[in-house]
Amino acid sequence: MSVTSVSKPGASQTQSKQETKYVFFFGAGKAEGNGKMKDELGGKGAGLAEMTNAGLPVPPGFTIQTAACREYMKTGKVAEAMEKETATALARLEELQNQKLGAGENPLLVSVRSGAKFSMPGMMDTILNLGLNDESVKALARKSKNERFAYDSYRRLIQMFGNVVLDIPKHAFDEVFDGQKKKRRVKLDTELTAADLQEVIAQYKQVVKQHAKRDFPQGPLEQLTLARDAVFRSWNNDRAKVYRRMNNISDDLGTAVNVQCMVFGNLGETSGTGVGFTRNPATGAKEFYGEFLMNAQGEDVVAGIRTPVHISELRKLMPQVYDQLHDITSRLEKHYRDVQDFEFTIQEGRLYMLQTRNGKRTGRAAVRIAIDMVNEELINIDEAIFRVDPNQLYDFLVPTLDESKGGVEVIATGLPASPGAAVGQIVFTANDAVVAAGTGAAKSPVILVRSETTPEDIHGMEVAIGILTARGGMTSHAAVVTRGMGKCCIVGAGEIEVDEKKKQMRVDSLTLKEGDWISLDGTTGRVIKGRLNTVPASADNADLQILMGWAEPFRTMGVRANADIPRDAIQARAFGAEGIGLCRTEHMFFAEDRIPHMRAMIMARTEEERRAELAKLLPMQRSDFEGIFRAMDGLPVTIRLLDPPLHEFLPKREELMVEIARLELTDPKSPRLKEAGEILRRVEELHEFNPMLGLRGCRLGITYPEISEMQARAIFEAAVNVAKDGIKAIPEVMIPLIVTVKEMSNQGAIIRQVAEQVFKEKGSRVEYLLGTMIELPRACVIADDIAVEAEFFSFGTNDLTQTTYGFSRDDIGTFLPAYIEHGILKNDPFATIDQTGVGELMEMGVERGRKTRPNIKLGICGEHGGDPESVVYCHKIGLTYVSCSPFRVLTARLAAAQAAATDKLKVEAGRTK
Ligand code: PEP
Ligand code: MG
């Protein structure tokens, strides 16, 4: 058979029917497929074909290609041609092995395994020992002279088949098996005799009959057909779907099915099975790394029933096999030019390779391995920079949980909003966090658990080591603020019920109280019960510097940071930020000593009152700006005028009403009652039904020009003040939420006038730019007009996404899971730019802005600025820079460098999957 026409995903039905070659044979040193055919054969199938062609010891078999799975998913049926090709391949296998599937004195037994294009470890299903039945098990016992082995293999088949094909819950089989062990008063599986296992088998068959309302199929071909279809179906099990979503793998690919001769690692003390890596996947160290079990089948290693031993033990037990394995895997690594993750089985002293694929690794390992491979001349520098996924650079910046001691109990999973690890005692309010966190020597780590956070929680968030919320999405308050702080945070952990009053949280039947320990993994979103240790991290890593040193010369787009306070600006610069792309000035007022003034300013009824409060805010704001200018000496700092929906700063209406009702009953003469009444009246006056679309952005400065005046004064006074110390401040004043050019000219006039006033008063001036955020669809459409006034644009893709979709950025969590599940959205548009909709508007803004002002600076400062896929897109549409949270700066730098290198080297951004 030749390998000429292979159907492509998406090929038309009729065309694929005529052309598709469904089944690819491998064995006896030759394979019909090869290592490049991952689309058709999946990673595993392609690896088996490649290893076979390379003359490595691979048990023979055949791969049914992914197109068959896609057809099955679409129609619920399989093509006749596929059935025919399978029968031919099976006959060929039987002839090669001189065996018959599940028949005769030397029955052929096979494994049936899934294998998609991208590895999805453990997500789909596998069936081993297929072909065993009441007759062939006896033959196997005779042939192997090992009754126990034969019956153990048979009971494993019924168990796997029952679970995977017939949907019988695992525990139904476990109860039988554990019952038998109890009856025999033994602890280990291996202590059950052949007779015991025969009893287990009889009961397993009962379980099958009871649950599946049918007998366990005795016909080997029926077993094979049913197993194949079940593996196809496992592509769409819940685990696999979630894994694909997390790893951005398309739901349309489908899995291949590998049918392969069984080799047995459980045939006694000269047999065994194991897994390994050609380098250490956690550290990247160049060491043969792996574990194995003698006298065991693969699933025993994975299931953790027995503890595997380090691969170095194999050297002592079977030095020749060890050397052969070492030699083969080293050759595989050289051949694939990447770390290999392999599986092997030793059957009675003979080594078989069952799988090889590029190994998954941590960020630290990815960098180490890329550098080592360049030094070993296995890859060149241009390739090395693609060997690290930009997101993996987080590993260098955040501590991680130490899971080496095991015993990790995950109680809930949410969105991984801000990476890192946090281990602490839980508290349920910001005030409790402050008390519990303590000061000085009495300091202790706390994790603030809230339904969701608001700006009023900021003091608690500041002292907490990690934040966990039950609600909210990737741009919720908790997510944005913690990312800026580089603090570990998990949001939207919906399984958790937070009861702030009782100071407890519940997950199913588990209740955790204030003071209980939990551990958060902000990189994966896992909430873990108890107290794990953490492993600290630092950005001053020699390996990281080398890799960035190779990547950076390619980069053409700038990378700035979103930072609101000097500490974050210093941090951002240390990570390589080339300026501040967004300073959200309202965040400067979240500090506990500032919120009251901010609130008083908002609540003021007259301009005079407002000016009085603004006068108190001026020095605070000015000193913050001075700090930021000092930190960013010589680099641009984009300062956005006040933007937030005002309700974020006001006391909650409902809480005030409760307080008033309580005081009326308990203390009607209390002065607080009068005060609370006045506040409530003002809160009600300011109440908006839709604050996100209400009095915010430039609408604030237009309604209350004195606010913009104060802010402009603080900016320019700070810039002139630091200049006296030789600091070069480069302010870029940014007006938020513009939809008409007149808004821009209105606010622009104020800024320019205050600037001139300050320069005159101080007797010196600084250069500055005046620009705007582009964060509403209309602004994109009239970008050519706006550019008449604006010297720069910064795309605010959080609001632009919100207003383009009409999805509230704070409430998307309520329906996003359903949208993802039904395939309506592929991912969260607040995390990765929607290129077709929001992107189209951005492109319009870029093109129209440049038409008016060819040299206009164009940036992005929404959360997407730190998302690698979005960064690549920003490079493509020609933005001047991206701006992101300080802790994403490294990621953005590498993503931007890879994007430029892709252009320059004309390579596909071939990141290791
Ligand atoms: C935006 O809308 O993208 C933005 C950066 O502004 P904010 O998140 O502060 O609304
Ligand atoms: Mg915005």
Side-chain angles (χ1 to χ4, degrees):
M1 265 182 263
S2 72
V3 193
T4 42
S5 51
V6 172
S7 78
K8 297 266 175 335
S12 79
Q13 191 70 29
T14 40
Q15 199 187 12
S16 72
K17 262 195 185 134
Q18 282 166 9
E19 294 185 0
T20 305
K21 171 176 167 53
Y22 286 102
V23 181
F24 293 78
F25 193 83
F26 54 89
K30 266 182 74 180
E32 292 177 335
N34 61 56
K36 294 205 177 77
M37 295 173 64
K38 284 192 187 165
D39 281 336
E40 299 83 13
L41 305 182
K44 183 177 292 191
L48 288 170
E50 189 84 350
M51 285 198 291
T52 304
N53 283 331
L56 300 185
V58 176
F62 53 88
T63 303
I64 305 173
Q65 76 134 304
T66 53
C69 176
R70 290 193 293 276
E71 285 171 19
Y72 181 80
M73 287 191 298
K74 216 162 157 193
T75 62
K77 288 196 291 249
V78 295
E80 225 172 88
M82 190 273 268
E83 297 270 29
K84 266 197 200 140
E85 285 181 42
T86 305
T88 310
L90 181 61
R92 190 170 164 192
L93 187 63
E94 288 178 331
E95 197 183 315
L96 179 72
Q97 294 293 100
N98 200 16
Q99 290 176 299
K100 272 242 163 298
L101 182 66
E105 263 318 290
N106 182 15
L108 173 67
L109 304 179
V110 294
S111 62
V112 179
R113 293 169 197 260
S114 58
K117 176 175 180 183
F118 301 109
S119 92
M120 296 166 52
M123 298 299 134
M124 292 182 291
D125 291 323
T126 286
I127 292 162
L128 304 178
N129 310 336
L130 192 135
L132 280 175
N133 56 24
D134 292 350
E135 286 311 309
S136 58
V137 69
K138 288 182 202 152
L140 182 67
R142 283 192 294 272
K143 172 88 190 12
S144 63
K145 299 192 184 63
N146 188 338
E147 262 204 317
R148 194 196 170 279
F149 153 73
Y151 286 103
D152 190 42
S153 302
Y154 191 23
R155 71 94 193 161
R156 285 174 194 255
L157 169 65
I158 303 175
Q159 194 172 328
M160 275 186 261
F161 195 95
N163 177 245
V164 171
V165 180
L166 304 173
D167 271 339
I168 301 169
K170 278 198 178 106
H171 66 79
F173 294 106
D174 290 345
E175 277 162 23
V176 171
F177 200 71
D178 293 343
Q180 188 71 8
K181 283 206 286 191
K182 231 189 205 156
K183 196 167 131 194
R184 291 282 167 246
R185 293 171 204 262
V186 297
K187 269 212 173 114
L188 298 177
D189 299 5
T190 44
E191 291 173 290
L192 289 180
T193 64
D196 290 333
L197 293 165
Q198 275 170 295
E199 270 181 47
V200 168
I201 289 166
Q203 290 181 59
Y204 272 10
K205 286 186 188 163
Q206 288 301 319
V207 170
V208 169
K209 189 139 199 187
Q210 206 182 328
H211 282 82
K213 311 277 175 274
R214 63 157 297 166
D215 286 324
F216 172 75
Q218 293 289 315
L221 286 177
E222 187 186 3
Q223 288 179 3
L224 182 59
T225 308
L226 291 172
R228 174 199 68 198
D229 293 353
V231 171
F232 284 157
R233 286 197 299 275
S234 73
W235 174 256
N236 272 335
N237 72 29
D238 290 344
R239 287 195 311 270
K241 282 202 255 183
V242 170
Y243 186 88
R244 287 201 292 276
R245 194 188 318 146
M246 277 170 52
N247 290 280
N248 222 352
I249 297 172
S250 164
D251 284 332
D252 303 332
L253 299 175
T255 180
V257 178
N258 297 289
V259 179
Q260 193 177 16
C261 281
M262 281 298 303
V263 279
F264 292 97
N266 51 346
L267 265 176
E269 290 310 314
T270 53
S271 301
T273 188
V275 295
F277 287 83
T278 49
R279 302 187 192 219
N280 185 319
T283 63
K286 194 173 180 194
E287 62 192 14
F288 196 46
Y289 180 92
E291 38 193 32
F292 83 108
L293 267 177
M294 290 311 282
N295 197 9
Q297 220 169 18
E299 50 165 353
D300 298 336
V301 182
V302 185
I305 301 166
R306 287 164 57 195
T307 312
V309 292
H310 195 267
I311 200 131
S312 54
E313 286 295 306
L314 184 62
R315 187 177 220 161
K316 294 182 203 147
L317 291 167
M318 296 183 167
Q320 268 169 344
V321 173
Y322 176 89
D323 286 346
Q324 191 193 0
L325 180 66
H326 193 269
D327 176 58
I328 287 175
T329 54
S330 307
R331 270 164 53 203
L332 284 170
E333 187 186 271
K334 277 212 178 78
H335 178 74
Y336 285 107
R337 305 190 313 133
D338 204 350
V339 178
Q340 295 301 296
D341 159 359
F342 55 85
E343 282 178 23
F344 64 94
T345 285
I346 305 160
Q347 179 174 312
E348 296 179 317
R350 232 178 116 184
L351 174 70
Y352 291 94
M353 298 304 295
L354 299 185
Q355 170 157 311
T356 191
R357 60 186 173 199
N358 291 347
K360 291 196 188 300
R361 64 211 82 173
T362 64
R364 284 168 180 271
V367 173
R368 171 84 260 152
I369 289 166
I371 295 169
D372 283 348
M373 286 193 168
V374 167
N375 292 338
E376 293 160 26
E377 296 182 4
L378 209 53
I379 58 175
N380 61 35
I381 287 176
D382 294 348
E383 290 170 296
I385 62 173
F386 289 103
R387 288 292 173 94
V388 181
D389 178 332
N391 271 328
Q392 289 189 305
L393 294 185
Y394 283 145
D395 286 10
F396 288 92
L397 306 179
V398 292
T400 47
L401 288 176
D402 179 2
E403 300 185 35
S404 59
K405 296 203 176 67
V408 173
E409 190 183 336
V410 177
I411 55 172
T413 305
L415 297 170
S418 184
V423 179
Q425 290 173 283
I426 47 183
V427 288
F428 295 94
T429 68
N431 289 340
D432 289 344
V434 173
V435 175
T439 47
K443 245 177 148 168
S444 68
V446 296
I447 291 181
L448 178 61
V449 181
R450 306 278 293 152
S451 284
E452 59 198 335
T453 64
T454 67
E456 285 185 64
D457 292 324
I458 198 73
H459 54 301
M461 295 170 77
E462 183 86 26
V463 296
I465 189 146
I467 316 288
L468 167 63
T469 72
R471 292 204 289 268
M474 291 298 270
T475 58
S476 62
H477 176 263
V480 173
V481 171
T482 50
R483 228 174 276 139
M485 292 172 161
K487 190 166 282 190
C488 172
C489 174
I490 296 173
V491 298
E495 302 126 284
I496 292 178
E497 249 178 79
V498 180
D499 190 334
E500 186 186 318
K501 282 212 187 77
K502 285 198 187 145
K503 302 200 175 193
Q504 63 181 37
M505 64 185 241
R506 272 196 308 276
V507 194
D508 297 328
S509 58
L510 175 74
T511 303
L512 293 177
K513 297 204 163 50
E514 187 177 78
D516 286 344
W517 287 85
I518 57 171
S519 305
L520 304 184
D521 180 349
T523 313
T524 61
R526 293 174 308 152
V527 182
I528 293 161
K529 193 176 154 199
R531 186 179 189 176
L532 297 186
N533 287 327
T534 55
V535 186
S538 120
D540 272 348
N541 177 289
D543 283 353
L544 182 64
Q545 304 302 332
I546 293 174
L547 186 94
M548 293 308 284
W550 289 339
E552 284 282 81
F554 285 101
R555 185 161 63 84
T556 50
M557 186 169 62
V559 175
R560 297 191 188 184
N562 294 354
D564 315 316
I565 53 173
R567 189 188 56 205
D568 291 351
I570 291 166
Q571 179 82 85
R573 193 166 190 166
F575 293 153
E578 295 154 325
I580 300 293
L582 174 63
C583 169
R584 291 177 164 105
T585 49
E586 59 273 12
H587 285 191
M588 295 174 160
F589 299 116
F590 283 158
E592 219 180 348
D593 56 332
R594 297 176 179 197
I595 271 199
H597 298 297
M598 183 68 180
R599 197 172 268 175
M601 191 276 285
I602 295 167
M603 306 264 292
R605 287 176 182 278
T606 63
E607 184 185 329
E608 202 185 340
E609 273 174 46
R610 212 165 16 253
R611 281 192 185 275
E613 293 302 330
L614 284 166
K616 291 180 200 154
L617 290 172
L618 173 68
M620 300 176 189
Q621 184 123 84
R622 186 176 52 222
S623 84
D624 281 342
F625 290 144
E626 285 174 5
I628 292 185
F629 288 142
R630 281 183 206 280
M632 302 309 286
D633 182 12
L635 296 175
V637 177
T638 310
I639 297 168
R640 180 179 75 185
L641 300 193
L642 217 52
D643 171 67
L646 292 182
H647 73 292
E648 284 190 6
F649 283 95
L650 294 178
K652 292 222 163 37
R653 188 166 158 250
E654 294 71 20
E655 280 170 18
L656 282 168
M657 287 162 92
V658 170
E659 187 186 356
I660 289 168
R662 194 168 43 80
L663 285 173
E664 275 170 349
L665 281 175
T666 57
D667 192 2
K669 294 215 172 75
S670 147
R672 171 66 194 162
L673 180 59
K674 192 162 171 265
E675 187 192 23
E678 270 163 25
I679 297 175
L680 177 62
R681 259 190 303 284
R682 187 67 181 136
V683 165
E684 278 177 341
E685 276 168 27
L686 291 169
H687 175 76
E688 292 177 302
F689 286 102
N690 243 322
M692 264 289 180
L693 301 175
L695 182 56
R696 61 170 290 214
C698 64
R699 301 159 204 171
L700 272 171
I702 289 168
T703 314
Y704 306 120
E706 52 279 11
I707 298 180
S708 303
E709 279 172 32
M710 180 283 279
Q711 292 205 286
R713 176 164 284 279
I715 294 168
F716 294 115
E717 286 185 354
V720 174
N721 288 352
V722 296
K724 285 196 203 106
D725 299 333
I727 303 283
K728 186 169 167 57
I730 310 177
E732 298 181 347
V733 184
M734 181 155 79
I735 318 289
L737 225 67
I738 289 284
V739 276
T740 78
V741 69
K742 286 198 174 147
E743 289 169 328
M744 187 68 213
S745 32
N746 172 299
Q747 290 293 287
I750 295 176
I751 309 298
R752 293 200 191 284
Q753 191 197 347
V754 173
E756 288 312 314
Q757 226 170 316
V758 171
F759 297 155
K760 204 160 142 208
E761 285 164 21
K762 299 260 176 189
S764 82
R765 47 189 318 124
V766 292
E767 293 301 315
Y768 70 96
L769 291 181
L770 186 62
T772 178
M773 297 203 54
I774 299 286
E775 49 187 341
L776 294 169
R778 190 175 197 276
C780 297
V781 177
I782 59 152
D784 42 354
D785 274 351
I786 295 176
V788 174
E789 295 280 339
E791 293 165 316
F792 66 88
F793 288 170
S794 178
F795 287 97
T797 43
N798 300 335
D799 275 307
L800 190 57
T801 301
Q802 170 167 259
T803 47
T804 302
Y805 273 100
F807 291 164
S808 157
R809 53 197 274 191
D810 295 314
D811 302 320
I812 190 171
T814 54
F815 57 88
L816 183 65
Y819 268 51
I820 302 271
E821 192 187 322
H822 296 302
I824 295 170
L825 287 179
K826 217 175 138 268
N827 43 34
D828 181 351
F830 288 100
T832 300
I833 288 176
D834 153 52
Q835 296 184 15
T836 28
V838 176
E840 189 71 22
L841 285 166
M842 290 173 73
E843 287 180 49
M844 184 185 289
V846 167
E847 187 202 313
R848 297 187 182 182
R850 284 222 169 99
K851 201 167 81 194
T852 304
R853 198 186 281 267
N855 290 328
I856 190 166
K857 264 194 188 180
L858 300 168
I860 175 177
C861 62
E863 290 304 300
H864 306 89
D867 165 64
E869 199 179 316
S870 309
V871 171
V872 171
Y873 179 68
C874 292
H875 169 87
K876 243 195 241 159
I877 66 172
L879 295 196
T880 323
Y881 67 85
V882 294
S883 186
C884 56
S885 312
F887 281 79
R888 287 176 131 192
V889 164
L890 268 172
T891 293
R893 281 168 59 201
L894 182 58
Q898 287 179 344
T902 303
D903 289 351
K904 187 156 180 212
L905 304 170
K906 299 201 169 26
V907 292
E908 278 234 358
R911 286 176 213 151
T912 313
K913 271 270 174 191

